[in-house]
Amino acid sequence: MTEPRTILVDCRGMACPGPITEVARAYRKAQNGDILDILATDSAFTSDINAWVRATKNELIGLEENAGVIRASVKITAKKQ
Amino acid sequence: MRRILVLGGGTAGTLVANLLARELGAEIMKGDVEITLLDEDGNHVFQPNLLYTSFKGMKPEKIVRPEKKLLHKRINFSIDRVTKINFTNNKVITESNKTYIYDDLIIAVGSKIARDEILGFDEANLDFHSSQENALKVWERIQEIRKGKVVVGVSAFPHKCPPAPVEAAFLLEEFFKKRKLKDNVEIHFITPISRPYPDPTISNTIERHFKERGIIIHPFFNIDRVDSEKKIIYSLEGTDLEFEAMFVVPPHKAPQAIIDSKIGDEDGWIPTDKYTLLVNGQKNVYAIGDVADLRTSKSGVTAHLEAVVVARNIIADIRQTGERCKFTGRTHCPMDVGYGKALFVISTYDKAAKDAKPTRRNLLMKKAFAQMYWTAVGGSLEWLFDRYFGEDARECFIEEPI
Ligand SMILES: Cc1cc2nc3c(=O)[nH]c(=O)nc-3n(C[C@H](O)[C@H](O)[C@H](O)COP(=O)(O)OP(=O)(O)OC[C@H]3O[C@@H](n4cnc5c(N)ncnc54)[C@H](O)[C@@H]3O)c2cc1C
């Protein structure tokens, strides 16, 4: 087990195939304890990330919007490892 | 002498090389320009038809042609796997230990299946993405299924042809229904995200059709490992799914040469300017097709449209015409929903996909594109594609002299 990391997932300017697919990609490679720091400009992202966190039972530790950029911080806690 | 080197003889590489060779005939004859294409195996597969080999029994030999026959005679062609790319000294090294020096490099080596990414996946799964041989195995396997759960879907993003997993579900449902096995065979669709298709609008349409046809969706299902003996898929989210057969799209990555050359991200996707298709930080290296890390679909149509942008920009540079073209991110992904109908997923970087209805006409168009493919990669149908895609595919303008 390596030290927890903060993984930047920059999805700004990305509409299709969608930031949530990048989150799923980063999740595969992350470990419990890691933080995904996600940036997105796609307006559907807020509801997507909320649904994703609820379903996967990871922890949403921050969600804010600033000048059209949505920033979500997710702590990975629920992976079966 | 300007040496243009193209790596990969798939959709993107073949078309870009042919467009350059057709247009730069005079320069090539004079010895001012040279075009070389390297491909690892010399066979060109029309991959969209892998779906029809897998689920409709199309003969595999119908979907492959020798690359040499598809290339203009002014192109130097070698079957030689690229093993190393070095941007610093403009060099490419191949398996046969040859070194190629380039002035312009176009990387079009596509994507590969990452077989070892998920424990047990490869032993349990049959894929319709990687080769005609594997597609044929899928076709043979589905003949044997009489009951149980058949699992399709996505194991990881990104993968080529976003509609393909959904098409597999639709075509399997049609297959089992026609064989009157629908009461005994269940089709399950797994995906790491909340919906069957990344685009929400298209996804709504698919969900409606899945519901009508009894295809069961498992959202937020990230495969952790597969037990091929017990026939169970375990997810990272802690859920399990038993299966009789599994035809899930495997994880993808870039070819090993890209990973070894350290010119891509950790999976090898090459960071590329989404408009010019120049590799970030490079002035004479382009990445087109699946291997580029672009925010658009990994598909043949986008590979095609990207090839045109790069060919036009290189030609303009050689002839100093001042023309510059930018790619718009245009997609045009056909989705066969079975029973003779299809829809098209059409978007650009700036325009999300609109809702699309499956129609018979769309499937006919999908088939017409397939018929035209071997001519299209030769580069002689651009007048037709220009009419069809219009300005949606690229923005071209004359750059003002500074
Ligand atoms: C089942 C399925 C259905 C599909 N349906 C559609 C569809 O309906 N519409 C659509 O637009 N797209 C579709 N696609 C996607 C489409 O086929 C690909 O996105 C497209 O072929 C990408 O083009 P490319 O040139 O980047 O890669 P490819 O066409 O895969 O070509 C890459 C080439 O590089 C060569 N190569 C690889 N590594 C090396 C190396 N180290 N050295 C030298 N050569 C190398 C390979 O031999 C290959 O010839 C489908 C794909 C599949 C699998």
Side-chain angles (χ1 to χ4, degrees):
Chain A
M1 186 100 179
T2 47
E3 284 290 296
R5 299 162 300 168
T6 297
I7 303 164
L8 178 70
V9 187
D10 189 351
C11 311
R12 282 174 295 179
M14 185 186 221
C16 172
I20 204 69
T21 64
E22 286 296 307
V23 173
R25 185 182 169 208
Y27 184 51
R28 281 210 74 76
K29 295 178 196 288
Q31 294 185 348
N32 283 337
D34 288 348
I35 290 175
L36 302 185
D37 184 16
I38 312 148
L39 301 175
T41 45
D42 179 13
S43 57
F45 179 67
T46 307
S47 60
D48 271 355
I49 194 69
N50 273 311
W52 186 84
V53 166
R54 258 198 318 276
T56 58
K57 300 187 180 64
N58 290 290
E59 213 179 299
L60 185 64
I61 55 176
L63 183 64
E64 58 185 35
E65 190 172 345
N66 203 338
V69 178
I70 304 161
R71 175 173 225 138
S73 298
V74 177
K75 186 163 184 192
I76 304 304
T77 51
K79 264 180 105 164
K80 299 282 165 294
Q81 288 178 324
Chain B
M1 157 82 77
R2 184 147 168 179
R3 291 152 299 185
I4 304 174
L5 182 58
V6 181
L7 310 182
T11 306
T14 306
L15 180 63
V16 78
N18 280 329
L19 290 171
L20 290 166
R22 287 170 68 89
E23 185 63 28
L24 296 172
E27 286 87 346
I28 295 171
M29 303 289 247
K30 271 202 286 172
D32 293 343
V33 170
E34 179 190 78
I35 303 170
T36 304
L37 187 145
L38 306 176
D39 187 69
E40 65 180 351
D41 64 12
N43 286 325
H44 190 124
V45 178
F46 177 59
Q47 298 170 39
N49 277 351
L50 290 173
L51 204 67
Y52 296 119
T53 298
S54 305
F55 303 113
K56 300 252 177 190
M58 183 185 270
K59 296 237 173 323
E61 55 275 16
K62 272 190 156 179
I63 69 177
V64 58
R65 296 214 176 158
E67 175 66 9
K68 191 160 177 49
K69 291 217 162 135
L70 302 172
L71 290 175
H72 196 286
K73 55 184 184 313
R74 289 195 276 260
I75 299 166
N76 306 316
F77 172 57
S78 286
I79 301 177
D80 203 354
R81 175 178 285 125
V82 172
T83 51
K84 219 45 187 267
I85 301 168
N86 189 330
F87 293 158
T88 325
N89 48 18
N90 291 9
K91 261 188 196 166
V92 167
I93 297 165
T94 62
E95 204 166 49
S96 69
N97 244 332
K98 282 212 181 86
T99 299
Y100 291 81
I101 309 278
Y102 62 82
D103 296 296
D104 303 273
L105 178 68
I106 305 165
I107 308 174
V109 288
S111 52
K112 296 276 181 198
I113 301 303
R115 298 218 174 271
D116 306 329
E117 191 91 341
I118 301 172
L119 190 69
F121 183 90
D122 206 35
E123 294 89 76
N125 191 64
L126 286 177
D127 82 79
F128 52 93
H129 259 59
S130 52
S131 66
Q132 312 91 282
E133 294 76 28
N134 286 345
L136 193 60
K137 283 186 195 156
V138 173
W139 175 245
E140 286 163 2
R141 178 72 183 96
I142 63 176
Q143 311 303 314
E144 302 164 358
I145 299 169
R146 295 284 172 273
K147 62 176 173 41
K149 291 178 181 166
V150 174
V151 180
V152 291
V154 183
S155 62
F157 294 102
H159 62 84
K160 63 181 148 190
C161 194
V166 172
E167 291 181 286
F170 282 131
L171 294 178
L172 277 169
E173 190 274 339
E174 183 186 7
F175 175 88
F176 290 118
K177 178 129 194 219
K178 286 189 170 157
R179 280 165 181 72
K180 302 199 168 31
L181 290 166
K182 262 300 283 298
D183 289 343
N184 303 327
V185 178
E186 281 177 7
I187 298 166
H188 292 252
F189 185 95
I190 59 170
T191 174
I193 61 171
S194 63
R195 46 184 180 260
Y197 198 77
D199 180 273
T201 311
I202 299 293
S203 206
N204 282 343
T205 305
I206 295 166
E207 279 178 60
R208 222 176 34 245
H209 287 271
F210 271 12
K211 201 165 174 204
E212 275 167 27
R213 290 160 61 176
I215 299 167
I216 301 152
I217 306 173
H218 298 258
F220 303 114
F221 194 104
N222 255 298
I223 307 178
D224 177 27
R225 64 198 161 87
V226 185
D227 187 325
S228 56
E229 278 176 14
K230 287 193 191 144
K231 292 196 160 187
I232 300 177
I233 312 173
Y234 299 93
S235 81
L236 291 175
E237 292 77 21
T239 41
D240 313 342
L241 185 58
E242 275 180 38
F243 63 92
E244 169 59 28
M246 187 180 162
F247 308 113
V248 173
V249 173
H252 284 47
K253 63 177 181 184
Q256 200 54 41
I258 307 296
I259 297 169
D260 292 345
S261 305
K262 300 192 170 54
I263 55 173
D265 67 15
E266 61 183 318
D267 294 322
W269 311 120
I270 303 176
T272 304
D273 183 279
K274 66 180 189 176
Y275 300 119
T276 63
L277 308 168
L278 278 163
V279 172
N280 287 353
Q282 303 299 313
K283 290 201 173 78
N284 60 340
V285 184
Y286 302 84
I288 53 174
D290 290 353
V291 77
D293 172 22
L294 293 175
R295 269 74 159 122
T296 184
S297 302
K298 292 196 184 303
S299 75
V301 173
T302 45
H304 179 132
L305 298 173
E306 290 162 20
V308 178
V309 167
V310 169
R312 279 180 66 164
N313 284 343
I314 291 179
I315 292 163
D317 191 45
I318 289 173
R319 299 206 170 138
Q320 299 284 303
T321 61
E323 188 193 53
R324 281 277 150 247
C325 292
K326 283 177 166 182
F327 181 48
T328 57
R330 178 70 146 82
T331 68
H332 196 80
C333 293
M335 185 187 290
D336 188 331
V337 304
Y339 304 102
K341 289 186 181 173
L343 59 82
F344 279 97
V345 183
I346 296 173
S347 63
T348 65
Y349 292 135
D350 302 326
K351 280 185 269 170
K354 287 207 189 91
D355 195 11
K357 225 175 129 223
T359 65
R360 291 193 184 282
R361 185 170 170 268
N362 284 339
L363 189 68
L364 288 177
M365 274 179 68
K366 177 177 180 170
K367 288 188 174 159
F369 275 126
Q371 288 289 327
M372 285 192 287
Y373 180 78
W374 302 113
T375 314
V377 286
S380 62
L381 295 179
E382 282 317 302
W383 61 273
L384 182 66
F385 293 116
D386 279 352
R387 265 195 209 173
Y388 188 78
F389 292 109
E391 288 177 357
D392 222 20
R394 75 191 79 94
E395 260 174 52
C396 293
F397 52 93
I398 302 290
E399 213 167 42
E400 295 293 329
I402 310 164

